[in-house]
Amino acid sequence: MSKINYLKLYNLLEQSAWKQADIETRRIMLEITGANQREDLLMTASDLQSFPCAELKTIDKMWREASHDQFGFSIIAKIYQELNQDYFLLAEKVGWCNSSNWIKYEQINFTDHAPVGHLPLTWVVPSTFSGYWLARFASAGWRRLLNRIIECEC
């Protein structure tokens, strides 16, 4: 049985407080993997490959229901599969980059007008968002998480 308290995330999502829900999603995912105990606050490849399916499904379902299937990990994974698992095409389609220019944190669209699959986004972000893209950790991290989502049949 899960020891994770999802009430805050649920409430934020119900209020369409997308930015705060995105940040809470990151906090929850770090807690689930134990990465919240690490100095760098980053999930490892092993964390992502073994992320509990039940927890992933819970987070995804909450996002999908609150956004009427506009946001959520399974929404992102579906687009990823439709694009033959091309991460860079996915990033363009969901608005994370435009012509190889990666968005900055302040450019994330936390509104109902964001592209389908745009959120949640900051789950894998280190303390500096620009470092996230520049380190290209985003690509490797997203691929691992998307593969886990597919495995878990979210």
Side-chain angles (χ1 to χ4, degrees), residues 8 19 25 33-35 40 52 55-56 67 74 82 104 113 133:
K8 181 177 179 181
K19 182 176 183 177
T25 298
T33 61
D40 63 6
E55 306 292 357
L56 199 52
S67 69
S74 64
E82 289 170 355
K104 295 178 178 154
H113 303 292
W133 297 123

Side-chain angles (χ1 to χ4, degrees), residues 30-153:
L30 291 172
E31 182 179 340
I32 290 167
T33 61
N36 61 335
Q37 302 298 313
R38 297 183 197 125
E39 190 173 329
D40 63 6
L41 297 175
L42 291 175
M43 287 176 267
T44 65
S46 176
D47 292 337
L48 296 171
Q49 290 165 334
S50 63
F51 200 95
C53 288
E55 306 292 357
L56 199 52
K57 287 179 179 184
T58 297
I59 294 166
D60 179 59
K61 182 178 179 188
M62 292 172 71
W63 273 93
R64 281 185 302 101
E65 287 180 356
S67 69
H68 307 287
D69 288 331
Q70 181 176 352
F71 305 134
F73 291 132
S74 64
I75 304 299
I76 299 166
K78 181 180 178 207
I79 295 167
Y80 181 64
Q81 288 180 297
E82 289 170 355
L83 297 171
N84 296 315
Q85 298 187 350
D86 185 318
Y87 173 76
F88 296 102
L89 287 178
L90 168 70
E92 283 198 10
K93 175 103 177 166
V94 301
W96 301 338
C97 78
N98 185 359
S99 302
S100 299
N101 293 316
W102 296 92
I103 64 171
K104 295 178 178 154
Y105 183 79
E106 55 274 3
Q107 295 171 307
I108 297 173
N109 189 340
F110 290 112
T111 73
D112 294 332
H113 303 292
V116 171
H118 192 66
L119 299 170
L121 173 59
T122 59
W123 64 270
V124 72
V125 179
S127 56
T128 59
F129 196 71
S130 60
Y132 164 68
W133 297 123
L134 294 175
R136 292 292 183 243
F137 180 75
S139 172
W142 268 108
R143 284 186 177 108
R144 285 192 174 92
L145 184 66
L146 291 166
N147 287 332
R148 185 65 178 155
I149 291 162
I150 293 164
E151 288 172 10
C152 291
E153 299 177 347

Side-chain angles (χ1 to χ4, degrees), residues 2-49:
S2 172
K3 296 179 183 178
I4 303 298
N5 184 341
Y6 289 100
L7 185 59
K8 181 177 179 181
L9 178 59
Y10 175 82
N11 289 332
L12 291 168
L13 289 167
E14 286 300 304
Q15 298 165 22
S16 300
W18 305 123
K19 182 176 183 177
Q20 294 83 358
D22 198 39
I23 292 166
E24 179 65 6
T25 298
R26 175 171 165 40
R27 189 199 65 73
I28 287 170
M29 292 179 74
L30 291 172
E31 182 179 340
I32 290 167
T33 61
N36 61 335
Q37 302 298 313
R38 297 183 197 125
E39 190 173 329
D40 63 6
L41 297 175
L42 291 175
M43 287 176 267
T44 65
S46 176
D47 292 337
L48 296 171
Q49 290 165 334

